[in-house]
Amino acid sequence: MTGYDVAIFLHSHVRWGVFLGTALVGVSSVIAARKQRAWTTRDDRTHKLLVGLADTQMLLGLLLYFIWSPISRAFLHAPKTSMHEHTLRFFGLEHAVTMLLAIVVLHAGRARSKRAKDEKDEKDEKDESKRHRPVAISALVAFALIASSIPWPWLRHGRPLFRGLGGGSRESTKSSAADVCPPIYANECAGCHGAQGHGDGPAATSLQPRPRDFADSTWSTKRSDPELAAVIRDGGAAHGMSAAMPGHSNLSSEQLTELVACVRAFADAAPSQP
Ligand code: HEC
């Protein structure tokens, strides 16, 4: 189990707290504002919890974005070509920006609600009902933003509603092929290509075309080592393949050779087809 697996598992589940939380807080604050109900410590605690959950979700998202996700890494590596690849553009840009905006809106709502308290009528100490309005508006706007940018499973870039822990690397200890692979493979490639090279990494779900199964030995014999090394170095777009395959111009020729051997090892380890 990698940091990527854990973070994406948590990010997938904390999502429900934020998604349902904004809806519930939004609706109940609309009702409270209309009834001019006083703002209670319980309201305050609930709202604080919601904002805290959203911050946690954002932190997980930032860790995924800047450290673990091969999708955002591919996007940041070549933002221009990535814009043409639906999944890379969604996670690299749209999802990140929309969700950050939702967090900003939630925080702005909290700040405005606190200000509404300070501005309350000096004579009427009890008039704290004004605090509901900004909370209601911000929660409902955040809800709409979040709902519009969750990778719902029925979308092209869809992800499961409930992720399991372990993702594509569940079987990572079983194979001997993976032993040939340098750590770079687990860190930079397995997210898409899968721990066993089957093209079933947690980030590959919605890629079109999906990465092929490296264990398919009929494919392996059709590509020369320099060809494989060139795709890994330059990325797919430069070789007429999908832009979702990022380039790795930072790798030394030694590292490239190791990775080619690793890709080949998956096919060698697989039972050969008749
Ligand atoms: C963001 C996802 C992603 C990451 C990360 C990624 N790949 Fe790929 N890779 C792909 C996709 C998608 C394709 C298929 C492109 C196509 O068929 O058009 C591909 C294709 C390839 C191919 C060519 C297969 C062929 O058909 O000849 C090789 C080799 C390869 N990747 C190796 C690697 C290695 C090694 C790494 C890590 C250094 C890596 N990839 C990282 C998505 C990824």
Side-chain angles (χ1 to χ4, degrees), residues 83-161:
M83 292 302 277
H84 303 296
E85 217 293 320
H86 183 79
T87 298
L88 297 192
R89 191 184 63 225
F90 176 77
F91 287 105
L93 189 69
E94 295 161 6
H95 178 77
V97 170
T98 313
M99 294 309 193
L100 275 176
L101 199 63
I103 304 277
V104 169
V105 167
L106 275 180
H107 275 277
R110 181 141 189 90
R112 290 208 108 211
S113 156
K114 279 186 181 159
R115 229 179 301 134
K117 169 189 168 188
D118 299 336
E119 281 166 7
K120 76 181 174 215
D121 195 338
E122 289 296 319
K123 281 165 250 160
D124 184 3
E125 287 292 324
K126 287 220 162 64
D127 184 22
E128 284 220 342
S129 62
K130 287 205 181 78
R131 292 200 62 180
H132 292 293
R133 215 177 109 86
V135 166
I137 295 170
S138 60
L140 292 178
V141 171
F143 173 77
L145 287 169
I146 291 166
S148 78
S149 203
I150 283 180
W152 299 110
W154 49 87
L155 300 174
R156 245 168 94 199
H157 47 263
R159 293 288 186 265
L161 287 179

Side-chain angles (χ1 to χ4, degrees), residues 13 45 66 80 94 111 149 187 192 270:
H13 289 264
R45 239 184 275 139
F66 289 108
K80 246 180 156 174
E94 295 161 6
S149 203
N187 295 334
C192 292

Side-chain angles (χ1 to χ4, degrees), residues 9-228:
F9 172 82
L10 292 174
H11 197 63
S12 169
H13 289 264
V14 173
R15 163 251 310 255
W16 292 109
V18 183
F19 176 66
L20 298 173
T22 47
L24 287 174
V25 167
V27 170
S28 65
S29 304
V30 167
I31 296 170
R34 299 197 92 196
K35 287 188 177 160
Q36 299 194 317
R37 181 167 71 63
W39 175 264
T40 62
T41 12
R42 194 156 159 243
D43 291 324
D44 201 57
R45 239 184 275 139
T46 312
H47 193 234
K48 218 181 200 167
L49 181 71
L50 176 64
V51 176
L53 262 185
D55 284 346
T56 309
Q57 182 70 344
M58 175 182 66
L59 187 69
L60 288 165
L62 290 175
L63 287 172
L64 283 166
Y65 195 94
F66 289 108
I67 301 181
W68 287 304
S69 166
I71 298 266
S72 49
R73 197 179 302 128
F75 177 85
L76 294 173
H77 188 266
K80 246 180 156 174
T81 40
S82 300
M83 292 302 277
H84 303 296
E85 217 293 320
H86 183 79
T87 298
L88 297 192
R89 191 184 63 225
F90 176 77
F91 287 105
L93 189 69
E94 295 161 6
H95 178 77
V97 170
T98 313
M99 294 309 193
L100 275 176
L101 199 63
I103 304 277
V104 169
V105 167
L106 275 180
H107 275 277
R110 181 141 189 90
R112 290 208 108 211
S113 156
K114 279 186 181 159
R115 229 179 301 134
K117 169 189 168 188
D118 299 336
E119 281 166 7
K120 76 181 174 215
D121 195 338
E122 289 296 319
K123 281 165 250 160
D124 184 3
E125 287 292 324
K126 287 220 162 64
D127 184 22
E128 284 220 342
S129 62
K130 287 205 181 78
R131 292 200 62 180
H132 292 293
R133 215 177 109 86
V135 166
I137 295 170
S138 60
L140 292 178
V141 171
F143 173 77
L145 287 169
I146 291 166
S148 78
S149 203
I150 283 180
W152 299 110
W154 49 87
L155 300 174
R156 245 168 94 199
H157 47 263
R159 293 288 186 265
L161 287 179
F162 298 97
R163 265 196 193 266
L165 196 51
S169 38
R170 189 168 291 144
E171 29 171 2
S172 58
T173 46
K174 282 187 209 152
S175 153
S176 54
D179 294 345
V180 180
C181 291
I184 324 166
Y185 182 81
N187 295 334
E188 304 217 5
C189 320
C192 292
H193 287 284
Q196 303 304 312
H198 294 311
D200 57 354
T205 343
S206 61
L207 295 179
Q208 227 19 285
R210 286 185 68 147
R212 68 171 66 253
D213 185 357
F214 286 151
D216 171 4
S217 51
T218 43
W219 159 78
S220 186
T221 51
K222 284 197 199 115
R223 294 271 201 277
S224 70
D225 285 0
E227 275 172 344
L228 290 179

Side-chain angles (χ1 to χ4, degrees), residues 74 85 88 193 207 231-237 241-248:
E85 217 293 320
L88 297 192
H193 287 284
L207 295 179
V231 174
I232 299 171
R233 185 191 57 221
D234 310 330
M241 293 184 197
S242 163
M245 168 62 199
H248 298 81

